[in-house]
Structure formats: C-alpha cells, structure tokens
Amino acid sequence: MRKILTVLAALASLSLTNCGYNAIQSEDEQIKSNWSEVVNQYQRRADLVPNLVNSVKGFAQQEKDVLLGVTNARAKVGSIQATPEVLNDPAAFQKFQAAQGELSSALSRLLVVTENYPQLKSDALFKDLMSQLEGTENRITVARNRYIKAVQDYNVTIRSFPSNLTAMMFGYKEKPNFAVENEKEISTAPKVDFNPAPAPSK
C-alpha cells in the first residue's frame, strides 16, 4: 500500500511539473517580489517630496500653485493601497499608475520652476534632496524594468501550451503591466530651436 502511495505521489508531482503548475507558482511569486520593490522605491520618492517642497518653499513662496500641485499629487499617491491584489485588478493597477504619473508630472513642473532660482540651486539641502530624488528615479526605473520582465515571463507561461490549461484550471489570469501613457508624444521627435526668443516690446 505504501509503495502504491509513493508511486502515485511521484506521478502527481511529475504531472504538476510538466503541466507548468510549478513554473506558474514560481513566476507569480517573482512578480510579487518585484512589485514590492517597485512600491518600495515609489514610497522612497514620496517620502522625499515633503522635504523637497519645504526646501523650495523657503526660496520660492510665490510658486504656490506648483507647490500645491506636488503636495496634492503626493497625497493622491498615498491614498492608493498598492497591495499585491492590485496586480490582479487592471483598473486598480491603472489607477496606481496614473497617480504615480501625476506625481512625476508635478515634480517635473517643480524642477522647471527651480531653474529660475539660482540661489536655490546652490543651496546644500536642495542639492542633496535633488541627488536623492535622481537616485530614486533611477531605482524606480530598474525596479519597474524587473517587474515588466517578470510579468512578461509569467504571461507567456500562462498563455503557452500545456501550462495554459493549468492556468485555466486554477484561475490564473494575465497580469497588467506598465504602459506608456503618452505614447504619441514620445514617438514624435522633439523640435529643437536654437533661435533666441524675441525680446518683449516696450
């Protein structure tokens, strides 16, 4: 009897291996791990924002709209729970991505404003914060790339035969991936104009 159970267990594990079940489990866990790193880096960026806003505020009080935009975008990011369940809900994933994109856009506007304040750019605290922000943006890019690759591997596995049958049987679906919001804009070559702007008439 024990010998029969051992044979059955061996056959079951062999069939699970061949049907892609173990690969799906492994790749699903890899996605969760990579997603945690994406969220970790986005959180790191969000934590830098209040210090950056306060630093700019000291030099550029009149830029209230820009500072408020960054603060509001950060608040929106903080209100979204980026749990692993987001990975199974394309609408929630899109909402998370849109909020992060809004914060990126607000930070870009803030950096444009700071160009008008030479004394701010030379401030040691601001320079340190900018260095941290640049490093964090690089980490976000790396973390997102790893997540994109993990999702690609997983989605290929659950769509390939015979593991697609296992995926259907156990209810595994494709995971959403990061997409480019402004695909039309980035596919258009930027216009470079070296002609100086005309001086305003008096």
Side-chain angles (χ1 to χ4, degrees):
M1 181 66 175
R2 186 175 286 173
K3 198 180 268 186
I4 292 170
L5 288 174
T6 306
V7 169
L8 286 174
L11 286 172
S13 72
L14 190 63
S15 66
L16 283 176
T17 302
N18 291 337
C19 71
Y21 181 83
N22 291 340
I24 292 171
Q25 299 308 308
S26 172
E27 288 169 11
D28 190 45
E29 287 304 314
Q30 187 63 54
I31 287 172
K32 287 176 188 167
S33 170
N34 289 358
W35 175 248
S36 295
E37 185 56 20
V38 169
V39 172
N40 179 39
Q41 295 308 329
Y42 273 133
Q43 184 60 51
R44 179 186 165 95
R45 178 174 74 168
D47 291 344
L48 282 171
V49 168
N51 292 331
L52 192 60
V53 167
N54 287 333
S55 171
V56 174
K57 205 183 280 182
F59 287 89
Q61 270 292 342
Q62 62 273 33
E63 307 292 352
K64 286 183 180 140
D65 288 349
V66 174
L67 296 170
L68 188 63
V70 174
T71 304
N72 288 343
R74 184 196 182 271
K76 194 179 281 188
V77 162
S79 70
I80 296 173
Q81 295 297 310
T83 60
E85 285 71 42
V86 168
L87 305 179
N88 298 319
D89 182 353
F93 186 87
Q94 178 61 36
K95 191 175 171 187
F96 173 84
Q97 191 176 353
Q100 292 296 343
E102 198 174 312
L103 180 55
S104 294
S105 180
L107 283 170
S108 294
R109 285 192 297 276
L110 180 69
L111 298 182
V112 167
V113 162
T114 62
E115 290 298 312
N116 298 323
Y117 297 90
Q119 72 276 30
L120 169 61
K121 289 195 289 181
S122 63
D123 180 68
L125 172 63
F126 180 75
K127 281 162 90 171
D128 180 54
L129 287 168
M130 286 307 303
S131 174
Q132 288 186 55
L133 184 63
E134 285 166 13
T136 301
E137 292 293 347
N138 290 337
R139 288 186 181 99
I140 288 170
T141 301
V142 169
R144 279 177 49 137
N145 284 342
R146 287 181 181 152
Y147 173 81
I148 288 166
K149 178 72 171 79
V151 169
Q152 180 187 11
D153 292 345
Y154 169 86
N155 286 344
V156 166
T157 297
I158 67 162
R159 291 174 63 200
S160 302
F161 184 82
S163 51
N164 65 332
L165 302 175
T166 305
M168 278 191 282
M169 190 168 28
F170 288 98
Y172 288 100
K173 295 190 167 95
E174 284 187 56
K175 305 271 189 199
N177 216 331
F178 285 106
V180 177
E181 296 265 336
N182 56 344
E183 201 166 334
K184 261 189 184 169
E185 275 180 46
I186 64 169
S187 64
T188 307
K191 289 177 182 162
V192 180
D193 185 4
F194 290 110
N195 296 322
S201 55
K202 292 182 181 178

